[in-house]
Amino acid sequence: MSKLYGGLSAIKDGTLSFDEVLLYYTDVPLQALFYETKKNKRKAGKNMARIINQPTVDLRGFTPEALRKIKSIVNVASVLLPEDMPDGFSEAYTQIKKMNVAGEIRVPDSAQFFNGSVYLSRQDVTADSVIMCNGTVFVRDIPEEMNVRMIVNGTLIKAESAFVTVSSINGTKVEVSDDVQLIKGKAELNFDKSFADNISEKTIIVACGKIHISDEITEEMLSAKQVKFIAAGKIFAREELHGYINANSDAVGKILTEEKKGNREKKKLFRWK
């Protein structure tokens, strides 16, 4: 369901107010989501807040009094709670209405946060730590004695040398060998013969918005380099390659032919005229 359709439906059936639907289209800090609804403005001293459509909600710094001002938490992947809850915290938190909350996790104040497409090894983390990642994360060379826990919203690519405990994951986990080559973080990538000739075996292409595989690329070329696609938005390729791509992909949006992509663009231009 698209955001627009979902927002209009929510207004129509009264699930959300117009103001709440507007928040659906904004990426703002948690504190900015605290607002007074028209209904609650009539209730002096009882102004309530709703937290909507956030990947992570961190309540560790909240007092029980602050928690009592939250009416509901809706469509949230992870709610972070303090490892040592102060008096009254648990009682106040249980009074909050929750809908579509994937996980509630108790996290120490020392937790580390990473957003976007990140690469983590032993130099990037500390012993006995909790790592919170939103996006695509590749972990390698983390020894077991470091006792690292991870909370992931997105895609976790874990190499054999990464000894981490995944406390929670809302997305995809992929395990790979240590000798893979990683190509990541491009909005658009053109995979042609020159590109294929210059990559090593066991190449992972990750976190790309669009990947265009040229017509000169064959399944034998992809298989020889053991290419794998992870967390790509769309892959455009000849239909003959769709079987290989499907078998060697994780968390990929759509696999289309270049011809279909071109036809859609032509139709848009025709309508514009």
Side-chain angles (χ1 to χ4, degrees):
M1 179 184 294
S2 69
K3 284 186 176 181
L4 178 58
Y5 182 82
L8 293 175
S9 297
I11 293 174
K12 183 178 179 181
D13 61 23
T15 305
L16 300 174
S17 70
F18 180 75
D19 287 341
E20 291 169 336
V21 171
L22 288 180
L23 285 175
Y24 189 76
Y25 294 88
T26 61
D27 294 318
V28 294
L30 174 63
Q31 291 78 5
L33 292 177
F34 280 72
Y35 65 96
E36 296 177 9
T37 64
K38 291 181 179 179
K39 179 179 179 181
N40 289 319
K41 283 181 180 179
R42 304 190 193 100
K43 301 179 181 179
K46 294 185 179 179
N47 296 328
M48 307 295 283
R50 290 179 173 87
I51 300 173
I52 309 168
N53 302 309
Q54 299 294 305
T56 304
V57 173
D58 189 351
L59 299 179
R60 290 175 299 164
F62 280 60
T63 63
E65 291 73 22
L67 289 177
R68 293 188 186 99
K69 294 182 180 180
I70 304 175
K71 182 176 182 179
S72 60
I73 300 176
V74 181
N75 296 338
V76 170
S78 298
V79 177
L80 306 186
L81 304 172
E83 195 167 49
D84 298 316
M85 294 186 179
D87 292 340
F89 187 99
S90 180
E91 181 183 356
Y93 177 70
T94 57
Q95 300 303 313
I96 300 172
K97 295 180 181 178
K98 305 170 193 71
M99 184 171 67
N100 295 332
V101 174
E104 300 170 332
I105 308 163
R106 298 179 69 165
V107 181
D109 292 336
S110 59
Q112 297 173 269
F113 288 81
F114 297 91
N115 294 307
S117 178
V118 296
Y119 174 99
L120 300 177
S121 63
R122 69 170 74 197
Q123 292 81 16
D124 305 299
V125 300
T126 57
D128 302 314
S129 63
V130 176
I131 310 298
M132 178 78 193
C133 295
N134 295 311
T136 301
V137 56
F138 180 71
V139 290
R140 170 190 279 166
D141 188 28
I142 299 178
E144 188 173 6
E145 57 268 22
M146 291 190 74
N147 189 32
V148 173
R149 286 192 294 149
M150 296 195 71
I151 301 167
V152 180
N153 291 314
T155 302
L156 169 64
I157 307 169
K158 190 186 83 65
E160 294 170 342
S161 60
F163 291 90
V164 296
T165 300
V166 181
S167 299
S168 172
I169 182 166
N170 181 43
T172 303
K173 177 183 175 183
V174 182
E175 298 199 12
V176 298
S177 60
D178 277 313
D179 56 349
V180 299
Q181 177 190 3
L182 193 70
I183 298 174
K184 67 182 182 71
K186 296 180 181 293
E188 193 160 351
L189 184 146
N190 293 312
F191 195 108
D192 55 16
K193 186 176 183 302
S194 176
F195 187 99
D197 290 340
N198 284 281
I199 61 175
S200 63
E201 293 183 0
K202 296 185 180 180
T203 291
I204 293 178
I205 299 177
V206 60
C208 293
K210 294 180 180 180
I211 300 174
H212 299 272
I213 301 178
S214 71
D215 290 346
E216 60 188 344
I217 297 297
T218 65
E219 182 173 339
E220 289 72 22
M221 291 179 182
L222 294 175
S223 181
K225 292 300 177 83
Q226 300 179 52
V227 179
K228 189 177 182 70
F229 304 95
I230 300 177
K234 293 181 180 179
I235 299 177
F236 298 102
R238 290 183 297 111
E239 193 167 348
E240 291 81 355
L241 299 180
H242 287 196
Y244 177 92
I245 296 170
N246 276 310
N248 293 276
S249 299
D250 287 285
V252 169
K254 293 182 179 180
I255 303 173
L256 304 168
T257 63
E258 290 288 355
E259 288 74 17
K260 289 183 179 179
K261 173 179 174 286
N263 288 338
R264 284 203 303 274
E265 290 179 347
K266 289 178 181 178
K267 288 180 181 179
K268 289 180 180 179
L269 290 172
F270 177 78
R271 290 170 183 168
W272 179 256
K273 291 178 180 179

